[in-house]
């Protein structure tokens, strides 16, 4: 059922869900939301499954016209959202009526906003996912970003509009993308392939995210990392969060649309719990790295998953009560 007409697409707005990780063994990029935590929280707020498809808007949000009533939630980076020119809160389920318009202003903080609709965006699945992979020209709407005139189909929600309106996250459950802090990573298989001086600089000096960055990878500018035996290795597995160092000596962070293998030395991999924080970085901002143990990384991810499980359970309980 048509729910939204795209009046203006924004800078880069795509349909994303949690991606297609089960196809990596076939060389297929996972894709999916850059900030999966914000996508999941937006879906929970509107009563969807965590994996439902939503919109990911980058830096400049779209202009959307609602063609029937429903409920939306906006999470992630603050792109200054408004309905009918009235500012609306983020991290909250909000009722919309037929004829309402959603617009965005200047980016306040973060980089990517997630717009979830009760019922979830209903585009055809490709390899089990609705995520847009622009480089492959598949998923989402014709494998591309939104364009003016597009109509978005949204499924039926199991919740009544009135039961969703006003839902919000507890303040302590809202991710903090504003504070400046270190990005935690696990040392990789090649960290000893760099000179001690280079390795020390990597751990103690900031790197700047360059304009030559996208959903495939973030290119960083900072202290030059000197290889001991050269940058090349036999190609092996790569995942989102991998910190690769090519011959330039400047790190590259692989992101959601990255490939599945690579032939350059890897300093390490950013922990899953910090990938949402990295996803909200924009060009010109700085990144400082901090190594941690696998055990600590597991603990941090477990805390994040426990929050999502708790919120999802509340959703399921409310859905059962409404069905009675």
């Amino acid at each position: 059922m048509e729910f939204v007409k795209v009046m203006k697409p924004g800078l880069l707005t795509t349909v994303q869900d949690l991606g297609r990780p089960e196809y990596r063994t076939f060389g297929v990029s996972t894709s999916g939301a850059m900030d999966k935590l914000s996508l999941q929280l937006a879906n929970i707020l509107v009563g969807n499954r965590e994996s439902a498809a939503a919109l990911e808007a980058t830096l400049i949000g779209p202009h959307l016209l609602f063609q029937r009533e429903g409920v939306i939630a906006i999470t992630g980076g603050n792109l200054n959202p408004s309905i009918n020119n009235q500012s609306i809160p983020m991290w909250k389920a909000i009722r919309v009526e037929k004829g309402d318009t959603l617009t965005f202003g200047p980016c306040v903080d973060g980089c990517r906003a997630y717009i979830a609709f009760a019922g979830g965006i209903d585009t055809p699945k490709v390899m089990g996912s609705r995520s847009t992979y622009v480089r492959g020209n598949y998923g989402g709407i014709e494998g591309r970003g939104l364009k003016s005139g597009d109509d978005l189909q949204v499924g039926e929600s199991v919740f009544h509009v009135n039961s969703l309106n006003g839902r919000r996250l507890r303040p302590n459950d809202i991710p903090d993308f504003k504070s400046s802090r270190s990005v935690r990573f696990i040392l990789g298989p090649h960290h000893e392939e760099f000179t001690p001086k280079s390795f020390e600089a990597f751990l103690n000096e900031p790197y700047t995210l360059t304009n030559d960055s996208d959903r495939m990878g973030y290119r960083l500018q900072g202290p030059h990392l000197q290889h001991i035996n050269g940058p090349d290795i036999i190609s092996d597995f790569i995942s989102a969060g991998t910190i690769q160092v090519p011959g330039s000596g400047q790190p590259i962070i692989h992101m959601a649309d990255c490939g599945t293998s690579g032939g350059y030395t890897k300093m390490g991999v950013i922990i899953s719990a910090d990938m949402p924080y990295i996803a909200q970085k924009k060009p010109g901002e700085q990144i400082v790295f901090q190594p941690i143990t696998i055990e600590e990384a597991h603990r941090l991810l477990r805390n994040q998953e426990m929050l999502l499980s708790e919120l999802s359970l509340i959703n399921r309980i409310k859905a059962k009560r409404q069905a009675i």
Side-chain angles (χ1 to χ4, degrees):
M1 186 182 299
E2 291 182 1
F3 181 43
V4 177
K5 178 172 284 292
V6 179
M7 308 306 290
K8 294 181 181 179
L11 180 62
L12 175 63
T13 306
T14 57
V15 176
Q16 300 293 344
D17 54 24
L18 295 181
R20 40 186 75 86
E22 63 272 24
Y23 286 87
R24 284 187 293 182
T25 54
F26 302 104
V28 175
S29 171
T30 299
S31 296
M34 290 275 277
D35 174 0
K36 289 180 170 56
L37 177 61
S38 290
L39 173 96
Q40 290 170 292
L41 291 172
N43 275 322
I44 289 171
L45 283 170
V46 296
N48 295 341
R49 293 181 178 273
E50 295 172 36
S51 58
L55 292 181
E56 177 184 274
T58 307
L59 288 175
I60 300 174
H63 178 174
L64 306 177
L65 171 66
F66 296 102
Q67 298 178 310
R68 60 182 173 88
E69 70 172 11
V71 176
I72 68 169
I74 303 173
T75 61
N78 186 354
L79 306 188
N80 202 5
S82 296
I83 291 181
N84 301 331
N85 296 318
Q86 296 295 315
S87 180
I88 59 171
M90 296 181 58
W91 309 97
K92 179 181 179 181
I94 296 174
R95 179 170 181 158
V96 294
E97 305 292 343
K98 181 178 180 180
D100 284 349
T101 58
L102 173 66
T103 56
F104 293 83
C107 177
V108 178
D109 59 67
C111 182
R112 293 174 172 85
Y114 293 85
I115 311 163
F117 309 92
I121 295 176
D122 187 15
T123 57
K125 287 187 176 182
V126 179
M127 290 177 280
S129 169
R130 295 183 169 89
S131 287
T132 307
Y133 181 49
V134 174
R135 279 185 168 80
N137 199 34
Y138 58 80
I141 298 179
E142 301 173 355
R144 58 169 171 79
L146 299 189
K147 66 180 182 180
S148 298
D150 282 340
D151 287 310
L152 294 178
Q153 311 290 326
V154 172
E156 289 293 333
S157 174
V158 298
F159 291 94
H160 188 275
V161 170
N162 292 335
S163 69
L164 292 171
N165 185 36
R167 281 191 184 183
R168 63 172 69 235
L169 292 181
R170 296 167 298 197
N172 288 342
D173 294 338
I174 297 175
D176 180 9
F177 300 126
K178 301 177 185 178
S179 299
S180 178
R181 64 172 178 83
S182 298
V183 173
R184 295 160 292 192
F185 77 104
I186 299 167
L187 288 172
H190 310 123
H191 68 276
E192 294 180 346
E193 290 295 318
F194 300 92
T195 64
K197 184 177 180 181
S198 290
F199 184 62
E200 183 179 355
F202 180 79
L203 298 183
N204 292 288
E205 297 184 38
Y207 283 84
T208 301
L209 183 60
T210 71
N211 288 323
D212 190 17
S213 300
D214 56 20
R215 280 181 47 90
M216 186 173 186
Y218 283 2
R219 292 184 178 272
L220 307 182
Q221 186 70 44
H224 180 269
L225 300 178
Q226 182 67 47
H227 295 87
I228 295 175
N229 298 305
D232 298 326
I233 60 169
I234 297 173
S235 291
D236 62 4
F237 182 72
I238 279 178
S239 65
T242 297
I243 307 167
Q244 195 177 53
V245 186
S248 66
Q250 298 298 318
I252 298 171
I253 302 174
H254 289 263
M255 300 301 290
D257 282 353
C258 71
T260 58
S261 64
Y264 294 121
T265 49
K266 297 187 285 289
M267 182 68 80
V269 61
I270 294 170
I271 66 172
S272 298
D274 275 5
M275 287 302 291
Y277 179 75
I278 278 287
Q280 294 297 344
K281 289 287 187 181
K282 49 184 174 288
E285 294 185 341
Q286 291 190 327
I287 296 172
V288 176
F289 294 100
Q290 174 191 349
I292 65 170
T293 65
I294 292 177
E295 290 75 17
E296 179 67 4
H298 284 169
R299 184 188 68 80
L300 293 167
L301 181 59
R302 187 161 52 247
N303 290 343
Q304 199 173 90
E305 291 296 328
M306 286 174 62
L307 168 64
L308 291 170
S309 296
E310 177 189 350
L311 296 175
S312 293
L313 177 60
I314 293 172
N315 247 0
R316 291 193 295 272
I317 292 173
K318 288 182 177 179
K320 287 182 180 180
R321 286 176 178 172
Q322 184 168 305
I324 296 175

